[in-house]
Amino acid sequence: MRRLALLMCLTSACAGPSVTTVRPEPPMPPPPAPSKAPPVPSGPAARELAPLPLQRVTSTEGIFTAEVEAVAAPKLTRHEGSTRLEIPLGTEAPLSCFVYERPIDAAGAVIAVAKAAQGHRSVSVRSLTPTDVSVVAGAPVMFVDMDYEVATSGDRVSAGRLKLMVSASPELPLLCAHDEPGYARTFQRITTGIATTLQVPGQPRAPVSMTELRVLKLDGRLAGFEWRTGRSLGGGTQRTEAFTSLLLPGSENGPRAEDRTITTVTDDAGQLLEQRHAYAENGGLKLQVTLRRDRPSKPPRPMPATAYRYEGRQGSRTLKGHFTSIRGVATEEMIRTGIRDGLLTGDASEVLFDVYRPEADATAPTEVVLRRTPAAGPRALTVTTGTVTEEARADASGALEWTERILPEGRLTTELVYATPAPGKDDSRP
């Protein structure tokens, strides 16, 4: 009965990309500090399955195909914007997956499941713990353990762990869950296999020219990821997309999910044409704004400033206006070039740029100052963006391979763990 109730909560949370609204419940406490060595699973928690027969899955609408390990054919249920797969493993509980038809926020999807479970009167979610981040089929994948308790008859309480996996694929996002003790490696193997084989029938999408994955850690604990891709649009125009998904520990309102997206389009000279920003907290959109570069004035202005206009919303407030920048709004690639040529191989002690950070100020550019800190290492830097300063280390191409800054929740670090092409192999990366 405990497991059935929780899976019903999961179903309501996953029927579509929107977040389910639930009534307030007691807050979820922060996860405990990690021990030096995690305990070795024993008893039911140590159970695993040998590889199961592969089942071919095709959605009735022709939206996707996949191969799934299962003891029998999975059951498919259509929802608005998603399809649910109920995968029999031959154990007490099936493995459930949702295949979405449009992008989802990875951290927001995890929080939606936790809130839906927390909304059930007998369930208390105790912690959300990311356990692994990797790249599967050209997309970031995050695994999360959700520990919970269920009140039973009398004063008795039973504990459980819901295993979650979310794939932030731009074409077919995937969210999977299994609510049964043990089978941790089995769950990771089967869901990784689904993500690897999941595809849209027909002509494949043009491959990206570069990818980068950074893991985010809060006080040494895995907390999320940053994912960056670059793609040619033809004629020298490039588009880069950067996604950040972060799970922060409990406060008085429970754990918090932050998801950010920045999409940048540049011209054949590498100058910014357009930049779109979106920020969501706990699955709710807080900011969405687009910045566009104006066409050069005729006749040219006396000062060689570049004009930009922005439009969007921040909460209930409408954003619309324009500003100018003497330096011009810098892209990520421009900053990398400045680090490489100015700080790593040049004689400059600092380099300055204007960037657009609408969460801090949507009405004007924000200055970024990067300085060498030789005492901390040959490629060590400090990066000051507005009023926020972080420590950093660059690789030979000028990309920041490690950063550290202080948040109210603790010390947040990012580390570059995956890149194609490898850093330094192709300096033409967008």
Side-chain angles (χ1 to χ4, degrees):
M1 192 67 181
R2 166 184 67 82
R3 200 160 288 126
L4 175 61
L6 189 55
L7 286 177
M8 289 174 64
C9 292
L10 176 62
T11 302
S12 65
C14 300
S18 59
V19 176
T20 301
T21 301
V22 298
R23 64 181 182 276
E25 288 289 328
M28 292 176 275
S35 57
K36 292 184 178 180
V40 178
S42 61
R47 295 182 296 186
E48 298 292 348
L49 293 176
L52 303 174
L54 286 177
Q55 310 286 339
R56 181 73 174 177
V57 174
T58 302
S59 65
T60 55
E61 298 80 8
I63 297 171
F64 66 87
T65 62
E67 290 187 345
V68 182
E69 281 188 49
V71 295
K75 177 184 177 182
L76 276 65
T77 305
R78 175 78 173 152
H79 298 279
E80 183 180 354
S82 68
T83 300
R84 179 181 180 180
L85 282 69
E86 189 170 301
I87 304 166
L89 304 181
T91 64
E92 182 180 350
L95 190 156
S96 296
C97 289
F98 287 80
V99 180
Y100 294 95
E101 297 164 22
R102 56 190 176 95
I104 62 173
D105 294 332
V110 171
I111 280 289
V113 174
K115 285 191 171 183
Q118 187 86 343
H120 195 274
R121 68 175 59 189
S122 63
V123 178
S124 297
V125 176
R126 293 307 178 194
S127 65
L128 287 171
T129 307
T131 59
D132 190 31
V133 170
S134 60
V135 178
V136 178
V141 168
M142 180 166 64
F143 292 87
V144 180
D145 285 344
M146 188 184 87
D147 290 336
Y148 64 92
E149 293 179 347
V150 181
T152 57
S153 57
D155 295 330
R156 294 192 302 172
V157 174
S158 61
R161 171 171 289 177
L162 183 70
K163 300 178 289 293
L164 294 167
M165 174 270 210
V166 58
S167 167
S169 166
E171 293 183 319
L172 291 172
L174 180 68
L175 176 66
C176 297
H178 186 227
D179 183 27
E180 190 171 356
Y183 308 111
R185 291 193 300 273
T186 300
F187 176 75
Q188 187 160 356
R189 184 188 74 233
I190 293 177
T191 55
T192 298
I194 298 172
T196 300
T197 60
L198 190 64
Q199 58 183 303
V200 180
Q203 190 70 20
R205 190 181 183 189
V208 296
S209 58
M210 62 79 64
T211 58
E212 291 178 350
L213 176 68
R214 289 171 172 82
V215 295
L216 278 58
K217 294 183 179 180
L218 188 71
D219 292 334
R221 296 189 296 261
L222 188 62
F225 63 87
E226 292 181 0
W227 176 247
R228 186 169 180 265
T229 63
R231 186 187 303 275
S232 172
L233 301 180
T237 305
Q238 299 281 338
R239 182 176 66 204
T240 61
E241 295 178 295
F243 307 92
T244 302
S245 292
L246 178 63
L247 287 170
L248 292 168
S251 61
E252 61 181 19
N253 297 317
R256 188 171 87 253
E258 294 185 355
D259 292 280
R260 290 175 172 81
T261 303
I262 302 176
T263 303
T264 303
V265 179
T266 57
D267 60 19
D268 56 359
Q271 302 294 315
L272 185 145
L273 290 173
E274 178 182 284
Q275 195 170 74
R276 298 192 299 271
H277 293 253
Y279 169 68
E281 188 172 306
N282 292 340
L285 188 63
K286 298 293 185 181
L287 177 140
Q288 190 170 32
V289 63
T290 299
L291 178 74
R292 293 185 176 91
R293 189 184 77 195
D294 284 347
R295 292 181 178 180
S297 60
K298 294 182 179 180
R301 293 184 177 91
M303 293 290 289
T306 304
Y308 300 89
R309 50 195 165 88
Y310 59 89
E311 186 172 4
R313 298 190 68 83
Q314 188 169 26
S316 60
R317 183 165 65 101
T318 299
L319 301 172
K320 188 172 184 179
H322 63 274
F323 61 79
T324 60
S325 169
I326 298 297
R327 301 186 187 102
V329 174
T331 64
E332 177 72 17
E333 179 59 23
M334 293 166 67
I335 294 174
R336 293 183 182 198
T337 300
I339 293 173
R340 183 190 66 211
D341 297 344
L343 299 179
L344 301 185
T345 62
D347 297 328
S349 60
E350 67 177 30
V351 291
L352 291 80
F353 297 95
D354 283 350
V355 296
Y356 189 55
R357 295 293 183 265
E359 289 176 56
D361 185 357
T363 66
T366 298
E367 185 178 76
V368 176
V369 183
L370 300 103
R371 296 184 176 92
R372 288 190 295 176
T373 52
R379 294 202 291 260
L381 311 170
T382 59
V383 183
T384 301
T385 307
T387 59
V388 178
T389 297
E390 58 186 337
E391 304 300 317
R393 184 178 65 244
D395 65 19
S397 71
L400 298 182
E401 61 183 11
W402 175 88
T403 68
E404 178 184 280
R405 61 190 170 102
I406 302 301
L407 300 180
E409 295 84 359
R411 179 174 53 90
L412 181 69
T413 60
T414 71
E415 183 181 359
L416 179 65
V417 296
Y418 175 91
T420 60
K425 296 295 184 181
D426 184 0
D427 290 338
S428 66
R429 293 185 302 165

